[in-house]
Amino acid sequence: MESLALIVAILFLTALISGPIAIGLTFLHPATSRGRTIRRLFVTIFAIWGILNGIQFVLASVPLFPRLVGLMSVVTSGIAIKREFGLFRKLKES
């Protein structure tokens, strides 16, 4: 049972911090195109992980606080994706 609690704690903590880490990475401005590619890769990985963990907590039958953490994870990861790739900016230009 301790290992199950450890796995849930790791999932919970990664849901908490993956979105803010992805947002923090969007503030870095590397000078080379290779640096930008690496930054985009890490932002995408952290954001996808945050969205998947967040959806898992939102849809699970758990109390309100873990659901709110899951919702926060989805929202912050979505903001990171929007900041990195500018999805809505490209739609307005079309």
Side-chain angles (χ1 to χ4, degrees):
M1 285 307 232
E2 295 91 21
S3 61
L4 179 62
L6 180 64
I7 290 172
V8 171
I10 289 171
L11 287 174
F12 190 73
L13 287 175
T14 57
L16 261 175
I17 64 172
S18 61
I21 288 174
I23 289 175
L25 288 173
T26 62
F27 287 104
L28 297 177
H29 298 292
T32 64
S33 64
R34 181 181 230 181
R36 284 189 294 272
T37 303
I38 292 171
R39 182 194 65 201
R40 280 190 166 195
L41 177 71
F42 279 107
V43 167
T44 304
I45 288 170
F46 280 116
I48 288 174
W49 185 257
I51 289 171
L52 290 176
N53 273 342
I55 289 173
Q56 177 183 352
F57 281 115
V58 168
L59 296 179
S61 59
V62 293
L64 182 63
F65 182 70
R67 286 182 189 233
L68 290 177
V69 168
L71 184 63
M72 187 230 26
S73 178
V74 170
V75 169
T76 56
S77 297
I79 290 171
I81 292 289
K82 181 184 177 290
R83 279 186 53 87
E84 184 63 33
F85 296 104
L87 296 177
F88 297 113
R89 233 179 318 158
K90 291 180 183 174
L91 291 176
K92 286 182 182 178
E93 291 174 0
S94 299

